[in-house]
Amino acid sequence: MLEIDLPYILVDGRRFRGDVRRIEDLRPVLMDNLSEEGDAYYMFRDVRPVHETLRYDITVMPARILGREFIKTMGHYHDGPYPEIYGILRGEAIFILQKRAGRDEVLDDLVLIRAKEGEIVRIPPYYGHVTVNPSKSMLVLENIICRKCRSDYEPYIRMRGSAIYVTVDGIVRNNRYLYVPKLREEKPDKGEIFSLDLKDLLKLCPYQ
């Protein structure tokens, strides 16, 4: 049971206040230079028990346009070989996944996944990722990841975001990257995170 009354959510009868990512925080990764201020999206950590090695989070992203871009997350890589699983609880999302070829500005792979309510997106180890809300409705995401995993935002800040921007005019290339392979689209999985077997979820923690 999930109820949303930002900056709070109610999960299974328990009330949580979110950590706020503000527009000012996103400026280093946005395509356009903005003076706009305000809340961008909300992150709620550890809101439901899964397993002692795993953390379950919820992210709420209201619809918004930032310059020419649809609102998005900051983007990060993981600090080790940790995968992650996302589920779409409400709305629709675009996930941009990218894998480095030894340098931030050179990529081995670039993937776009469009997902809607009731679908799952898996982030493989060593892939950075950004989530975009391209719709006029609120996006609500759930995700599960190993507690040991830490997020590295610096490569996205150095490169001013991912290799592509999702804008009101379509996909725009980020020219700060020296080499980017052809963008390929993948489909999400069907189902819900909690329908997955615990053994499958525990694969998120390679060093448990």
Side-chain angles (χ1 to χ4, degrees):
M1 179 71 175
L2 172 64
E3 297 179 28
I4 299 173
D5 184 18
L6 295 174
Y8 299 95
I9 62 172
L10 197 68
V11 181
D12 300 333
R14 298 172 62 204
R15 192 169 186 248
F16 298 87
R17 183 183 179 91
D19 295 327
V20 182
R21 181 76 74 192
R22 293 181 58 79
I23 295 172
E24 303 94 289
D25 302 325
L26 292 176
R27 282 177 188 158
V29 299
L30 295 177
M31 181 175 71
D32 297 320
N33 294 316
L34 297 182
S35 58
E36 192 176 347
E37 297 181 351
D39 294 354
Y41 57 93
Y42 306 82
M43 301 166 287
F44 302 86
R45 308 291 194 196
D46 227 352
V47 299
R48 181 174 282 170
V50 183
H51 185 272
E52 61 183 9
T53 66
L54 302 176
R55 194 186 74 218
Y56 175 92
D57 305 330
I58 286 178
T59 301
V60 178
M61 187 183 297
R64 192 164 193 166
I65 305 293
L66 299 177
R68 287 168 287 170
E69 279 187 273
F70 291 103
I71 191 168
K72 64 182 181 182
T73 58
M74 191 90 179
H76 66 264
Y77 289 90
H78 297 162
D79 65 346
Y82 297 101
E84 188 170 8
I85 297 178
Y86 280 87
I88 315 301
L89 296 177
R90 300 181 191 175
E92 58 184 275
I94 292 176
F95 290 81
I96 303 166
L97 283 62
Q98 59 187 51
K99 187 177 182 182
R100 293 174 289 189
R103 302 161 59 190
D104 291 342
E105 62 269 29
V106 178
L107 298 184
D108 262 343
D109 197 13
L110 180 63
V111 183
L112 186 144
I113 302 174
R114 303 176 191 272
K116 58 184 184 298
E117 187 173 324
E119 295 182 325
I120 292 173
V121 173
R122 299 170 186 263
I123 311 297
Y126 302 111
Y127 277 74
H129 56 99
V130 169
T131 308
V132 181
N133 179 359
S135 74
K136 296 181 179 179
S137 302
M138 177 183 291
L139 171 62
V140 183
L141 301 165
E142 60 179 349
N143 73 282
I144 291 180
I145 194 165
C146 181
R147 290 187 183 278
K148 295 179 181 180
C149 181
R150 297 293 178 266
S151 299
D152 183 4
Y153 299 95
E154 287 304 315
Y156 280 88
I157 292 172
R158 284 194 293 271
M159 300 305 298
R160 201 170 181 90
S162 59
I164 56 171
Y165 302 111
V166 181
T167 79
V168 295
D169 300 315
I171 301 294
V172 175
R173 171 90 149 75
N174 180 349
N175 290 323
R176 291 169 182 81
Y177 287 81
L178 297 179
Y179 175 76
V180 176
K182 183 179 179 181
L183 177 66
R184 61 188 181 87
E185 290 207 29
E186 295 285 346
K187 293 184 178 180
D189 296 338
K190 301 289 186 181
E192 301 176 353
I193 284 182
F194 277 97
S195 68
L196 298 175
D197 188 279
L198 182 59
K199 291 181 180 178
D200 189 20
L201 294 179
L202 289 177
K203 292 176 184 176
L204 300 174
C205 274
Y207 299 134
Q208 58 178 303

